[in-house]
Amino acid sequence: NLHDPPATWWQWEPGGEYLRKAVADREPPFWDPFIAAGAPAMANLTSTFFFPPYFLLILLGNGVVLKNVYFLSLLAFAGFFTYVLLRRSSLEVIPSLFGASAFMLSGALNKNVGSFLGQTLCCLPFLMFTARAFVDRPNWRASGLLAIGFGCVALSSFPPLLMAIFGVTALFIALAVFQSTRPRIRRSTLLRASVGAGLALGLVAIYYLPAFSALARTTQVKSLYATAGAETLSPGSFFELLGPGVVGGSDRLTDPPVRNPTRNRAIPYLSVTALLLASFAAPGGDDRRRRALTWTAIAATVLVATKLIGWYPVHWIAFLPVFKTIHFAVYFGNLLDFTIALLAAVGLSRLLSGQVSRLQIGTGSVVLVGFVLSLRPYAESLQDPGHIRAWSWVPVWWLFIATAAVSILLSWSTVRLPGRQTRVLVGAALVVMASAEGVRSNALPRQRRWEVWRNPPQYVARLVDAAAGGREMAIGVFTSNASSAFGVFGLDSMMAFNPSRIYALYHRYASATRSLFLRGATALPPEGVLDRAGVQAVLIANGLPDVVRDAHARGFELKWTDDFVSVFRRPGAPRFFFSSEYSVAPDGNTALELVGQLQNPRLVVVEGALPNPSLPNQLDDPAVQLIHFRRNSVKVSVTAPRPGLVYFSESHDPGWLATVNGAPEPVLLANYAFRAVAVPAGPSEIEMTYVPPGFRLGALLSGVSALAVAALVFAGGTRPDDPRRPERPIEA
């Protein structure tokens, strides 16, 4: 029941396989040579390489059973820390169980837990608990532990959601700190919290500085996401909080019975019972911990809800630098499940302790019934009457009515039948009801366990044979990072930060559809482009007969076909070759056009004059010999008959350094998007190595931060006789 299956199957899972193989080969996962003719791997973040629990999963083999255990463990992790956060905030056992189960079984987690999005979201209760523990004992040792906790969560890697969960946690710390009546304690606590947060940033600098560098040089990301923050949702999207599929099943069905199946995907389901109890929450009372939690949940709910539907002044954030590139409408709705679950726990606590008046129960009941009843006309307005599953949501709607009725009756029973035993039974019944709603919402037909990365389709093996170490071009099929998982060199890419020039080349000659990724090819590029990219195998979906005919017309050799795809092998230039024949383009745009017009497969287009004149290539020019090819380095040798260039059909990106016979040599832009190195006449060994820009500075900052954190943890505790030491908090 995934919210974004392509993010899982096309990005995260292939990234996990890439990392598993890199670890087995004892190579750092800096560069992925199998996608986009080469692209930064670690700097793309969506692979979440170094989140500690995920990295352990990779080390243990990354198999299907392990993945299932990992996903279920993430859910249990989120539920457990929601429970201990509520207990640490002075809530009783039953309300804490309610909040934990409501969030653990919510759509925010269960629709996303199989992806990097869910992995990050599962860390929110842990962040809040860590913050609560810090505020309870704000000494320097706690600052160090806060830095470790925050740093580990930051490695879960999904930046938009990280910004959201850290924002909620920062709000929680601020509200908790200002509950203190002593200004000196407030100042010292905020100082130590700021130090902990700063050290957390330092700890992950080794991971994030390369990502920021990649983002800065990836121009297509900036242009395509320039207005992402301004996207909003219809207020009707909030109906999805009641349960999945209530407005057409857009998250469960590949062919939903609604006219616009994507309009309500961003706010995942919670439960009817939780919505009722959340209406009973209030920030009153003398307990500072409970008050801080309640105000945080209320403020976060209001801010997120108003931003999602575009209400000002909150919506102004969509036009600020950085924030304008975030898809609030896609990701931030997940926060509502957590904040409403917290409010529901507070509301249940007040209900069971007799603090909710008849007026409050009545008001909450009327609002809930009105909300559920108004769902029907809204769902009818979306319905496609001619669809085979039209009106399939009606039984679910009646179930919501029944659930609301039972929840309201149970709530009224705490007033009509007072007594501790009655209230305990009512609380337990409400926990069971919310849990049953969650189980029903998450229940889907069980899929067969299958590991496609270890059991690839037959055409993958044929493709590897046809490519014979060269690159493949996929059209209409295989358009993901699957090439990385299978170890096939390809041009497609689902990375966010692809080298800008390979991106422009791909969309100029292979796909007119402008998107962030390198996919959607609909035509064979010119032969000159295929030669420059080192393409030796072509995979074409048989559903594109015109492209298949074009491959036959160009003389490509058909190696294998079935009802689904055809695999061709084409003659062309090798991936590495020597050339002394080049053409100088005055700028990148000219080079991009020239590459598509070239007939000579070994002519190299450069941008800027070279010290040696262009000389015609000869038929007996020696081949470039490959000594080794690794993820972050490649080494070749050639005995050049005259000065010239050694060409690499690998994408050009800052971070690549070259040596010729051990001496540094500039890496040249060649054929618009690829690399070349000048060599003298005679024997030469050329080695290229890659280190992500920003990595060395990041490593330095992370090392210094780690030393500072260690010093705080081992030497920064509060003395037992310190009069400023706060009282022992309520045990979880």
Side-chain angles (χ1 to χ4, degrees), residues 241-462:
L241 285 166
L242 295 170
V246 294
V247 287
S250 60
D251 289 291
R252 288 187 160 202
L253 306 174
T254 57
D255 181 23
V258 293
R259 296 187 181 93
N260 186 352
T262 61
R263 63 187 300 177
N264 292 293
R265 294 186 59 189
I267 300 181
Y269 50 87
L270 186 58
S271 76
V272 175
T273 308
L275 293 177
L276 174 65
L277 295 178
S279 68
F280 303 154
D286 297 329
D287 192 285
R288 295 175 181 176
R289 296 187 183 94
R290 178 182 295 207
R291 199 162 56 233
L293 182 77
T294 307
W295 274 119
T296 300
I298 292 173
T301 300
V302 172
L303 290 172
V304 171
T306 52
K307 173 63 192 78
L308 289 177
I309 58 178
W311 283 6
Y312 292 94
V314 178
H315 191 54
W316 280 113
I317 195 174
F319 306 100
L320 298 177
V322 178
F323 294 100
K324 65 182 181 180
T325 64
I326 296 174
H327 281 293
F328 292 93
V330 177
Y331 304 123
F332 276 48
N334 294 287
L335 291 179
L336 292 179
D337 280 8
F338 179 67
T339 58
I340 295 175
L342 296 183
L343 291 176
V346 173
L348 180 57
S349 176
R350 297 184 72 245
L351 182 69
L352 299 184
S353 60
Q355 299 177 40
V356 181
S357 67
R358 288 180 170 86
L359 177 62
Q360 287 177 294
I361 296 177
T363 303
S365 301
V366 170
V367 170
L368 178 64
V369 170
F371 187 58
V372 176
L373 291 177
S374 59
L375 165 62
R376 180 149 190 165
Y378 180 75
E380 289 176 348
S381 71
L382 299 179
Q383 197 71 33
D384 178 6
H387 196 283
I388 192 173
R389 282 191 295 270
W391 319 113
S392 60
W393 53 271
V394 174
V396 179
W397 179 75
W398 280 110
L399 182 61
F400 294 156
I401 293 288
T403 304
V406 175
S407 299
I408 290 170
L409 289 174
L410 287 172
S411 299
W412 275 106
S413 68
T414 61
V415 177
R416 305 290 296 179
L417 301 171
R420 183 178 182 280
Q421 186 175 5
T422 299
R423 288 171 176 167
V424 169
L425 292 175
V426 168
L430 289 169
V431 171
V432 170
M433 281 192 62
S435 300
E437 287 185 83
V439 170
R440 187 204 67 82
S441 296
N442 295 313
L444 290 169
R446 182 178 178 182
Q447 297 177 348
R448 179 184 178 189
R449 216 162 25 89
W450 184 253
E451 178 56 272
V452 67
W453 310 122
R454 317 291 167 84
N455 302 277
Q458 190 175 3
Y459 70 80
V460 173
R462 304 289 183 170

Side-chain angles (χ1 to χ4, degrees), residues 648 655-660 662-668 676-678 686-689:
F648 296 76
W656 280 100
L657 302 175
T659 61
V660 176
E665 188 71 26
V667 179
L668 306 174
V677 176
I686 306 96
E687 183 171 19
M688 285 196 181
T689 55

Side-chain angles (χ1 to χ4, degrees), residues 3 60 123 128 207 262 292 373 414 472 555 573 671 691:
H3 174 67
L60 294 175
C123 294
M128 296 272 285
Y207 189 54
T262 61
L373 291 177
T414 61
E472 57 85 11
N671 292 327
V691 177

Side-chain angles (χ1 to χ4, degrees), residues 381-702:
S381 71
L382 299 179
Q383 197 71 33
D384 178 6
H387 196 283
I388 192 173
R389 282 191 295 270
W391 319 113
S392 60
W393 53 271
V394 174
V396 179
W397 179 75
W398 280 110
L399 182 61
F400 294 156
I401 293 288
T403 304
V406 175
S407 299
I408 290 170
L409 289 174
L410 287 172
S411 299
W412 275 106
S413 68
T414 61
V415 177
R416 305 290 296 179
L417 301 171
R420 183 178 182 280
Q421 186 175 5
T422 299
R423 288 171 176 167
V424 169
L425 292 175
V426 168
L430 289 169
V431 171
V432 170
M433 281 192 62
S435 300
E437 287 185 83
V439 170
R440 187 204 67 82
S441 296
N442 295 313
L444 290 169
R446 182 178 178 182
Q447 297 177 348
R448 179 184 178 189
R449 216 162 25 89
W450 184 253
E451 178 56 272
V452 67
W453 310 122
R454 317 291 167 84
N455 302 277
Q458 190 175 3
Y459 70 80
V460 173
R462 304 289 183 170
L463 182 63
V464 172
D465 292 340
R471 187 161 283 112
E472 57 85 11
M473 172 83 190
I475 303 177
V477 67
F478 212 56
T479 54
S480 69
N481 290 347
S483 57
S484 177
F486 292 130
V488 182
F489 298 99
L491 279 178
D492 288 331
S493 171
M494 285 292 293
M495 290 293 194
F497 304 151
N498 296 296
S500 293
R501 289 210 168 196
I502 200 70
Y503 174 88
L505 181 78
Y506 187 94
H507 285 284
R508 168 67 178 82
Y509 291 108
S511 173
T513 303
R514 306 296 287 183
S515 71
L516 185 62
F517 309 112
L518 274 61
R519 62 170 178 166
T522 56
L524 280 170
E527 291 298 290
V529 174
L530 295 177
D531 282 333
R532 270 68 195 173
V535 173
Q536 296 182 354
V538 179
L539 180 70
I540 306 173
N542 288 335
L544 300 171
D546 291 342
V547 184
V548 174
R549 282 193 292 269
D550 187 17
H552 283 292
R554 296 192 191 191
F556 296 176
E557 179 187 1
L558 180 63
K559 301 294 290 186
W560 189 78
T561 187
D562 62 8
D563 293 337
F564 180 47
V565 296
S566 293
V567 177
F568 293 89
R569 179 169 174 81
R570 66 174 295 273
R575 288 179 62 185
F576 317 102
F577 59 81
F578 169 80
S579 177
S580 59
E581 190 172 354
Y582 59 88
S583 174
V584 178
D587 53 48
N589 291 332
T590 305
L592 178 59
E593 297 304 317
L594 281 176
V595 166
Q597 302 168 11
L598 297 177
Q599 301 297 320
N600 183 347
R602 289 174 57 203
L603 177 66
V604 179
V605 177
V606 296
E607 299 169 40
L610 296 178
N612 299 309
S614 174
L615 298 172
N617 292 319
Q618 304 298 318
L619 293 177
D620 61 348
D621 283 344
V624 172
Q625 302 298 317
L626 179 63
I627 298 175
H628 76 241
F629 190 101
R630 299 193 179 99
R631 287 168 178 79
N632 309 302
S633 67
V634 57
K635 188 173 185 179
V636 300
S637 66
V638 67
T639 302
R642 54 196 173 278
L645 302 172
V646 171
Y647 175 73
F648 296 76
S649 63
E650 312 293 321
S651 61
H652 187 283
D653 201 55
W656 280 100
L657 302 175
T659 61
V660 176
N661 294 326
E665 188 71 26
V667 179
L668 306 174
L669 266 170
N671 292 327
Y672 180 72
F674 303 98
R675 301 180 232 146
V677 176
V679 295
S684 295
E685 282 194 352
I686 306 96
E687 183 171 19
M688 285 196 181
T689 55
Y690 179 78
V691 177
F695 178 79
R696 290 186 174 90
L697 176 59
L700 176 62
L701 292 176
S702 294

